[in-house]
Amino acid sequence: MTSPSSSSPPAAAATAPPVLEARSVFRFRTVDGHDVPIVRDVSFVLGRGEFATIMGPSGSGKSTLLHLLAGLERPSAGAVLVDGEDLGAGDEEQRAAVRRRRIGFVFQFFHLLPDLTVEENVTLPLRILGQNPNKHRGRIDSLLDLLGVQKLKQRLPSALSGGEMQRVSIARALSTQPPLVLADEPTGNLSSKAGEEVVALLRSVREKLGTTILLVTHNPRDAAAGDRVMFLHDGVLRPDSELRGGPFGVADVFARLQELGI
Ligand SMILES: Nc1ncnc2c1ncn2[C@@H]1O[C@H](COP(=O)(O)OP(=O)(O)OP(=O)(O)O)[C@@H](O)[C@H]1O
Ligand SMILES: [Mg+2]
């Protein structure tokens, strides 16, 4: 006889909150004495292991939105929840704690520390959490292998190509095993070949580690790599504009941009 619990999913899985939820998020900025909306009523939910992209032209509010989702800025209205925790509920120190434990960030300009080796850069977030990197050596080595930078670990950033620097910064973003990685134009400073490699690596990170990844870009080719592609225009993310079931061809993204008049 089977026990009742064997036929139903574990309670924790059934009730696990989404990794990222934006609830009617607004952000205003004061420009020439007027309050201007930069992000307007953005709502969406990302589940565990999703690879989503947000495509938008320059100035559409992508970086502002990503900063709100990371808790680097506070919404003027609305809420952001990471793993069910409301980033607006606490003070700056509590938001920073959520960021350090749950969110990895990948930037367009890498932001590696120039005086630290690749390995020291990658393990820095662990040290900031007060953890001894030596206790994570096997896992960090696997991460360096996954990103193809194992042989570079004693080098300084100045001795790396742009593509290598970005792969190192992805390893750094993953060193604390966050459920969520946010990437702001991660290919914006790379050749198109190195950019394609970086996006392919982000997809394989999702496959191998199950990390939820949100990438924002103005590049239709990068956007096409998402399982879901959302479109941001003048700070508005229209739910009916989303493509689902990717990865897509770049022509699919262009076609949707044309339909939306972006
Ligand atoms: N500190 C600020 N004060 C006033 N306006 C700002 C500020 N930061 C950004 N903006 C404006 O907000 C809008 C959105 O900026 P944001 O940087 O989020 O756009 P983006 O989509 O990331 O652009 P890009 O593709 O060029 O990186 C722009 O019109 C920008 O001029
Ligand atoms: Mg930007």
Side-chain angles (χ1 to χ4, degrees):
M1 193 179 131
T2 43
S3 71
S5 62
S6 66
S7 59
S8 48
T15 57
V19 173
L20 178 65
E21 184 172 1
R23 286 187 189 158
S24 202
V25 171
F26 286 80
R27 174 70 182 170
F28 292 87
R29 291 200 194 284
T30 310
V31 179
D32 299 330
H34 299 282
D35 272 351
V36 179
I38 306 290
V39 170
R40 297 193 271 174
D41 202 10
V42 167
S43 296
F44 67 90
V45 173
L46 283 190
R48 205 156 296 276
E50 282 199 282
F51 184 103
T53 59
I54 294 180
M55 161 92 209
S58 182
S60 58
K62 301 183 298 296
S63 295
T64 307
L65 177 60
L66 222 51
H67 285 194
L68 295 165
L69 299 174
L72 292 164
E73 280 188 59
R74 300 188 86 139
S76 308
V80 174
L81 289 84
V82 176
D83 263 353
E85 256 189 82
D86 184 348
L87 291 181
D91 58 16
E92 175 46 38
E93 183 43 44
Q94 283 163 307
R95 273 205 302 287
V98 173
R99 250 192 333 266
R100 286 194 288 263
R101 281 182 288 112
R102 299 194 201 274
I103 305 175
F105 218 99
V106 178
F107 304 91
Q108 178 174 352
F109 294 102
F110 323 126
H111 294 254
L112 296 173
L113 294 184
D115 298 331
L116 300 186
T117 64
V118 162
E119 188 174 29
E120 288 164 346
N121 267 286
V122 168
T123 54
L124 185 61
L126 285 171
R127 277 177 276 136
I128 289 172
L129 282 181
Q131 297 185 20
N132 179 352
N134 290 330
K135 295 201 171 141
H136 300 266
R137 189 170 288 276
R139 191 172 58 74
I140 295 294
D141 271 339
S142 310
L143 204 48
L144 295 171
D145 282 335
L146 178 60
L147 275 307
V149 293
Q150 176 71 252
K151 287 195 182 128
L152 309 175
K153 67 182 183 182
Q154 298 311 328
R155 288 204 200 166
L156 291 175
S158 57
L160 303 177
S161 71
E164 288 167 347
M165 283 196 244
Q166 196 58 299
R167 287 188 270 136
V168 169
S169 75
I170 294 168
R172 174 186 58 187
L174 293 164
S175 67
T176 56
Q177 300 178 278
L180 175 65
V181 166
L182 302 174
D184 190 356
E185 301 272 8
T187 69
N189 214 27
L190 304 179
S191 69
S192 100
K193 180 168 176 286
E196 276 178 45
E197 281 168 12
V198 158
V199 172
L201 276 169
L202 284 170
R203 278 196 74 88
S204 66
V205 161
R206 184 280 297 274
E207 264 138 45
K208 300 223 167 77
L209 305 179
T211 313
T212 301
I213 299 178
L214 176 62
L215 179 158
V216 305
T217 182
H218 66 260
N219 182 331
R221 191 204 59 213
D222 295 353
D227 307 324
R228 295 167 60 183
V229 186
M230 297 178 266
F231 293 86
L232 189 69
H233 189 218
D234 286 343
V236 178
L237 196 72
R238 284 195 1 219
D240 59 346
S241 71
E242 182 175 331
L243 295 171
R244 281 183 180 252
F248 301 93
V250 74
D252 300 314
V253 174
F254 276 120
R256 184 52 59 93
L257 284 168
Q258 201 158 28
E259 278 166 33
L260 296 168
I262 298 179

